[in-house]
Amino acid sequence: MTVVHENLEDTTAKMGARNVSVYYGDKKAIDNVSIDIPTEYVTAFIGPSGCGKSTFLRSLNRMNDTIPSARVEGEITLDGDDIYTSGMDVVQLRARVGMVFQKPNPFPKSIYDNIAYGPKIHGLAQGKTELDEVVENSLRRAGLWEEVKDRLEDSGTALSGGQQQRLCIARAIAVDPEVILMDEPCSALDPIATAKIEELIDDLNGSYAIVIVTHSMQQAARVSQRTAFFHLGKMVEYGRTSDIFTTPLEQRTQDYITGRYG
Amino acid sequence: MSTATLFLLALGLGLAGWIAGRSRAWAFRKSVGPRQLAALPTYHAWYVALWIVVPVSLFAVLWSIISPSLVLQSVLSTSAAADLPAFGFQRDNLLREAQAVASGASSGVFNDAARPLIEPFRAAISYYNIVGVVAALIIGFVAGAYAFLRLRPDFTARTRVEKAVMAALLIASLVAILTTLGIVVSLVFETYRFFEMVSPLDFLFGTMWNPDPMSSASDPDATRYGAIPLFWGTIFIGAIIAMIVAIPLGLMGAIYLTQYANPKLRSWVKPALEILAGVPTVVYGYFAALTIAPMIRDVAHAIGITSASSESALAAGLVMGVMIIPFVSSMADDSITAVPSAMRDGSLAMGATRSETIKRVLIPAALPGIVAGIMLAISRAIGETMIVVMAASTAANLSANPLDSMTTVTVQIVAMLTGEASTEHHTTLSAFALGFVLFLVTLALNFVALRVVRRFREAYE
Ligand SMILES: Nc1ncnc2c1ncn2[C@@H]1O[C@H](COP(=O)(O)OP(=O)(O)OP(=O)(O)O)[C@@H](O)[C@H]1O
Ligand SMILES: [Mg+2]
């Protein structure tokens, strides 16, 4: 089962998973995972390709619902409420638990409309001036404002890959979520754009509970304070990032972070 | 006949060249090794073959154009031609008869005066046949030899064949464009003749359409050629009533199929819907005339509209709308499916509902395809004739009442062309004017639609 380090200080669990298993048809992709996502820290999911990191991440905001064959067992809570009960409004849930995808996916709309999209559908801004404010604030927080303030009417798809990804983060921030899930947000970006995103994650840390999936050990070490190592659908080890990378308790974790497989 | 012979000759020579080129390339390959050969032997073979087939074929085409006049010249220079009338109908007739017998197209002459001409014709034809074949052989041989001698181990036959392929593709695309141009030009010509008799102003702005095929051919009554009722009928039936049916049903169908239906249902319904597009329009016509039109009339009578006739624009428009649903839905379906699922996921992950996602992300991104489908459907509806003939009559009526009988441009084109007037008569010529204006209208429609799409499209990627 999962090895959880014992030296963890108390945190407030924003989200919690208890004995979660996820199936695609008959195939089990996530096997009995339990974890708390703290409000105070950035949590990193690492592990070899195909071990189920994305699958687990997507079950946290019920994006697996869009895959017909996917099925989730166990309990996942947000602020203590089970998100898989029929009473849970998926639309509301996803507004509270935002997501940034591996490949930047700005809408084929103007930069402005990309950001305004969420506030508009959730009615978060009254009138044009308030909307303008939300757009500006979100872009500022995502560190994109200076670069795009003169071209808000340009298409979001005309930006560079790194700018697009920051646009997607700004878009997620604009609806003021409580949790932000990021699935390999830098895998399509160059080192400079990556550094900008990592800086951004650092800035956002504290305001939001953040979960990031990454294949880069260095990135996990740089941006996260908690790390969970996944292997073959199981969560093998969970602890402080610094401990996981220096003194892992499990052989498999040790092998992975020293690059012996994965 | 001789042209076909020449083409066969071209192919035969080409085959010989192909084999020769190939064996020469193989010989290179043996002597210098496969790595040293700049192109596969087949490319050398094709290079030689193309060098033979293309010039000889061009010659065959050219020859088929000029050889008849060469034959005629030589016949006219014989003594037998001296007795011919100097010019006119009679002379042409005699020549044509003699030529037909000589080439084997007919067995005997009607006019005895043509008989002495047969022999000279026969001689000239066979002489020029031989000339043609010999010339083709020479051309093929020279061109083939040129190509054959150019082959070297390092000869880049591959890129040259590639160029020939490109040229062939270019010609193929030009053919389509040139044909369209040709159609337009011929239409313009006939239209011009019509507008010499009836002023375009009367035609475009007149409100009565009632051509009289019995009237004098030289002096038409321009007030009977007002095309407005026809264009109105076309737009009312094809672009308004039919679209009111087809756009919502087609779009919603496509949305349901792409976003909500499970894959199994989709794999059944989509092909079934596309089959609708293959149903002959006559069948829809029956349906409109025998089922829908009487039903509409009965309903109208039942609610007190006694003026409703059994031939109504509504019946034709409704059925036409059903007919073009597949055009709208199939294009919309394809373009919605083509929107990357990352767009949809992005929107759903923002907390948008499915219908918000469809409305604000998918449809804007798929808009070009959707509009293209609608344009296709409108063009199809505007060009549709059968349903209107069967369900909405041929009487031109300028009315906004869908229960009235109406007619459309295409129906009148058919009526004018198949009428009893001669091809020179203005009623017949009016068909060309109608066709031409219809062509311009659809062209303008497409142009506007393209502009609209470019303005509003939200391009992904
Ligand atoms: N839509 C799906 N349908 C069926 N099986 C799936 C689907 N998505 C993922 N899987 C399977 O579930 C397992 C976990 O996949 P997942 O995408 O979660 O891995 P991952 O850890 O995110 O990998 P990577 O690091 O390469 O992104 C894999 O074996 C994969 O084949
Ligand atoms: Mg993944």
Side-chain angles (χ1 to χ4, degrees), chain A:
Chain A
M1 270 307 354
T2 311
V3 176
V4 179
H5 291 205
E6 278 161 10
N7 60 351
L8 300 172
E9 59 271 25
D10 283 343
T11 51
T12 32
K14 186 71 196 173
M15 298 194 78
R18 292 290 166 269
N19 307 81
V20 170
S21 298
V22 184
Y23 300 82
Y24 292 112
D26 297 334
K27 187 167 160 281
K28 205 176 209 178
I30 283 291
D31 185 9
N32 202 16
V33 168
S34 301
I35 187 177
D36 281 339
I37 308 292
T39 310
E40 297 89 343
Y41 295 128
V42 176
T43 307
F45 290 172
I46 60 170
S49 194
C51 67
K53 305 178 297 290
S54 301
T55 302
F56 184 62
L57 195 72
R58 291 162 61 88
S59 64
L60 295 178
N61 67 344
R62 291 187 61 172
M63 279 303 284
N64 281 333
D65 291 11
T66 62
I67 301 168
S69 67
R71 185 162 51 85
V72 178
E73 278 176 5
E75 187 188 60
I76 299 180
T77 56
L78 175 63
D79 285 338
D81 301 324
D82 190 345
I83 64 171
Y84 277 90
T85 55
S86 53
M88 174 55 83
D89 180 2
V90 185
V91 167
Q92 215 47 47
L93 167 72
R94 290 187 189 142
R96 291 171 67 191
V97 184
M99 187 163 213
V100 176
F101 295 81
Q102 175 168 2
K103 201 168 152 247
N105 58 346
F107 300 130
K109 301 177 178 297
S110 70
I111 294 171
Y112 184 95
D113 286 338
N114 259 283
I115 310 292
Y117 184 79
K120 266 188 198 158
I121 56 178
H122 295 297
L124 298 182
Q126 268 79 48
K128 172 91 174 118
T129 44
E130 219 176 300
L131 197 58
D132 286 350
E133 240 167 70
V134 172
V135 170
E136 180 174 342
N137 278 337
S138 311
L139 283 170
R140 273 190 198 286
R141 299 208 64 176
L144 195 57
W145 175 250
E146 291 304 322
E147 288 158 66
V148 302
K149 64 177 181 211
D150 300 322
R151 44 192 286 217
L152 291 175
E153 289 313 312
D154 287 7
S155 173
T157 50
L159 296 172
S160 76
Q163 290 173 326
Q164 286 187 13
Q165 194 61 302
R166 277 180 286 151
L167 182 68
C168 291
I169 295 177
R171 185 175 78 184
I173 297 172
V175 290
D176 205 19
E178 297 156 38
V179 183
I180 301 179
L181 311 173
M182 300 187 185
D183 193 350
E184 301 183 44
C186 304
S187 63
L189 307 182
D190 72 3
I192 295 172
T194 302
K196 283 206 173 129
I197 304 263
E198 288 178 1
E199 212 175 289
L200 171 59
I201 293 173
D202 250 353
D203 291 344
L204 300 177
N205 187 9
S207 322
Y208 311 92
I210 295 176
V211 184
I212 178 171
V213 171
T214 176
H215 273 149
S216 153
M217 254 47 92
Q218 290 87 341
Q219 181 167 70
R222 281 192 299 262
V223 301
S224 73
Q225 292 76 41
R226 293 284 180 271
T227 294
F229 171 64
F230 286 77
H231 186 232
L232 295 177
K234 295 194 170 61
M235 193 169 100
V236 174
E237 187 165 354
Y238 175 76
R240 282 186 192 163
T241 300
S242 51
D243 294 342
I244 295 277
F245 282 104
T246 51
T247 51
L249 303 176
E250 269 281 322
Q251 186 59 41
R252 281 175 291 174
T253 317
Q254 169 88 33
D255 288 348
Y256 181 71
I257 60 174
T258 54
R260 220 160 298 165
Y261 66 91

Side-chain angles (χ1 to χ4, degrees), chain B residues 295-332:
Chain B
M295 204 172 80
I296 289 173
R297 182 200 53 207
D298 293 347
V299 170
H301 284 185
I303 60 172
I305 309 174
T306 48
S307 65
S309 75
S310 60
E311 292 177 321
S312 64
L314 187 60
L318 288 180
V319 174
M320 204 184 271
V322 172
M323 178 189 85
I324 55 183
I325 285 176
F327 291 84
V328 178
S329 76
S330 158
M331 291 279 274

Side-chain angles (χ1 to χ4, degrees), chain B residues 65-273:
Chain B
I65 295 169
I66 61 167
S67 68
S69 63
L70 290 178
V71 168
L72 193 63
Q73 285 305 319
S74 79
V75 170
L76 289 180
S77 66
T78 60
S79 57
D83 300 336
L84 275 173
F87 51 82
F89 181 66
Q90 185 76 10
R91 172 191 166 99
D92 292 349
N93 236 8
L94 291 176
L95 284 171
R96 202 176 304 135
E97 265 189 47
Q99 202 257 353
V101 174
S103 64
S106 73
S107 54
V109 288
F110 173 73
N111 238 315
D112 278 340
R115 196 151 288 139
L117 287 168
I118 294 176
E119 232 4 83
F121 256 114
R122 216 167 254 160
I125 288 175
S126 62
Y127 172 69
Y128 280 110
N129 268 351
I130 292 169
V131 170
V133 169
V134 169
L137 278 172
I138 292 174
I139 291 174
F141 192 76
V142 169
Y146 168 75
F148 186 77
L149 291 176
R150 286 190 73 185
L151 298 186
R152 294 268 175 281
D154 60 351
F155 181 67
T156 54
R158 177 151 44 168
T159 47
R160 282 159 207 268
V161 171
E162 193 65 31
K163 275 188 193 137
V165 169
M166 208 179 72
L169 296 177
L170 180 71
I171 290 170
S173 60
L174 282 184
V175 166
I177 294 174
L178 290 181
T179 314
T180 317
L181 268 183
I183 293 172
V184 172
V185 167
S186 68
L187 218 51
V188 165
F189 186 68
E190 304 288 343
T191 305
Y192 177 74
R193 283 174 49 188
F194 176 72
F195 282 150
E196 274 179 339
M197 291 191 261
V198 175
S199 117
L201 288 179
D202 288 330
F203 179 75
L204 289 178
F205 299 110
T207 55
M208 186 182 80
W209 180 265
N210 190 14
D212 179 6
M214 296 304 151
S215 67
S216 123
S218 57
D219 180 29
D221 178 2
T223 59
R224 287 167 163 265
Y225 281 108
I228 288 217
L230 304 188
F231 281 96
W232 166 246
T234 304
I235 289 169
F236 194 52
I237 295 176
I240 299 179
I241 302 179
M243 287 305 141
I244 288 176
V245 176
I247 293 179
L249 288 183
L251 259 187
M252 290 196 280
I255 290 171
Y256 175 75
L257 281 182
T258 54
Q259 303 301 316
Y260 294 92
N262 71 35
K264 216 175 193 169
L265 182 71
R266 180 180 155 81
S267 71
W268 276 98
V269 175
K270 194 165 188 266
L273 209 57

